[in-house]
Amino acid sequence: MTDPADARLLAALAELGKVAVHELAARVGMDPREVAYRLVALSGSGLPLLVGVESDPQGLRAALASAFPPAQPQTPNPGPYHAPPSGAVPFAPSGPVPGYPPPAHPPQGVPPARPGGGYPPADPGRTAPPAGAPSGPYQVQQGVASGPYQVAGVASGPYPAPLDPVISTWGPPQTASWARGDQRPAPPAGSRTGRIGDSLAGQGLDGEQLTVQLLEVQDPADYLFGAAGYRLEPGERAVVVHTEVTNKGPIPFVSLPDNYLELLTADGKPVGKAPVSLTSRPPHKIGVQPGETAGGHTVYVLPENTRVVAVRWSPRPEPDERSLTWSLED
């Protein structure tokens, strides 16, 4: 295992044994969605790890029932050789049709024609069937094709397949909207680079409108590290970075602001934060509400001779077009 974040997760999980994903994320200072993603990936690698979920079945059924009420049954589309709706008298000419012999049996349910043409008046004592109920089948004379028609209130033609309520609610299986680049909103306009003291416009995983400001970089910060009760190994040094995040949009930012705040070395390698917090320099807390500004300190431990040239903030582990970079070189 080479990923320090995975090692941190497994070490904390080994101590707790059984824990909810959001509680484990808060313990290690990571985004709950990222923790869930990593745990699922680790569980498929052969480790003795089971990632589960609990729910209230009755509550979920009630929520789905209120969101998707049962559809009303629709009248199926009859074929071209079914009878027209009852209540309408089919047209029939008076006398035989030239070129065709008369039918052997008159259509079922239609009174016979009088010699003078037309049909006798309807029996006033007879109750007509309700509108919309189909009449019985009848025979069509061989060789005469019936034309297309529509049933009253029901359009003929193919019917669209109903949407799957699971897919329409939660999206296709095995997908995550926060990780899909085709559904990600465009990054805010403005510079993506700056220097210490600059505020840069950023964006969260769900389109949160953020402003991230790099206030201070203490390098080295060995005395602060030791004052908090920690000890550096020979050849190591500590660095402390102070940042502030302002949420300028209506969407709450629910992640840890410095979750993916990294140091960039002269050879281009990123240095992730150490899982420690200092009493004299309070760390970031999870979440920034709309209109709120939250500050905090991030601690790093790196080789003593490593030269740090920049600080980079990203909303997810891999840097992308939303990443912000502050240069530390003159």
Side-chain angles (χ1 to χ4, degrees), residues 26-301:
R27 184 179 182 90
V28 299
M30 295 177 63
D31 191 322
R33 291 170 292 187
E34 180 65 21
V35 170
Y37 174 81
R38 290 179 177 272
L39 289 177
V40 171
L42 290 171
S43 66
S45 63
L47 292 174
L49 171 64
L50 178 63
V51 182
V53 61
E54 292 187 18
S55 67
D56 177 9
Q58 295 183 355
L60 290 181
R61 293 191 189 101
L64 289 175
S66 61
F68 299 94
Q72 297 297 329
Q74 296 182 351
T75 304
N77 183 27
Y81 295 102
H82 285 73
S86 62
V89 179
F91 170 78
S94 61
V97 179
Y100 294 92
H105 300 284
Q108 182 178 357
V110 180
R114 292 183 300 175
Y119 293 90
D123 185 1
R126 180 182 178 184
T127 303
S135 60
Y138 64 93
Q139 297 180 355
V140 179
Q141 182 177 355
Q142 185 69 22
V144 180
S146 62
Y149 63 92
Q150 294 185 350
V151 178
V154 181
S156 63
Y159 296 95
L163 293 176
D164 187 344
V166 176
I167 292 182
S168 61
T169 303
W170 308 111
Q174 304 297 329
T175 63
S177 61
W178 60 270
R180 291 182 57 180
D182 59 337
Q183 294 183 353
R184 192 163 54 208
S191 177
R192 321 299 294 171
T193 60
R195 304 183 66 82
I196 295 180
D198 292 344
S199 297
L200 303 179
Q203 186 181 85
L205 295 175
D206 296 322
E208 304 95 324
Q209 302 174 19
L210 308 174
T211 297
V212 186
Q213 183 179 13
L214 177 62
L215 297 175
E216 183 185 11
V217 177
Q218 291 184 279
D219 185 12
D222 299 354
Y223 67 97
L224 295 174
F225 197 82
Y230 302 105
R231 185 181 65 180
L232 292 169
E233 297 294 335
E236 291 182 337
R237 82 176 192 270
V239 177
V240 176
V241 175
H242 184 194
T243 52
E244 281 187 352
V245 177
T246 302
N247 189 346
K248 293 188 174 182
I251 305 175
F253 183 64
V254 298
S255 301
L256 198 63
D258 66 339
N259 207 14
Y260 304 110
L261 187 69
E262 301 173 320
L263 302 180
L264 298 181
T265 62
D267 56 1
K269 295 182 179 179
V271 178
K273 68 176 186 177
V276 298
S277 59
L278 308 181
T279 54
S280 59
R281 301 293 188 272
H284 278 280
K285 296 181 180 180
I286 296 178
V288 183
Q289 296 301 316
E292 180 184 3
T293 298
H297 298 78
T298 311
V299 183
Y300 303 86
V301 177

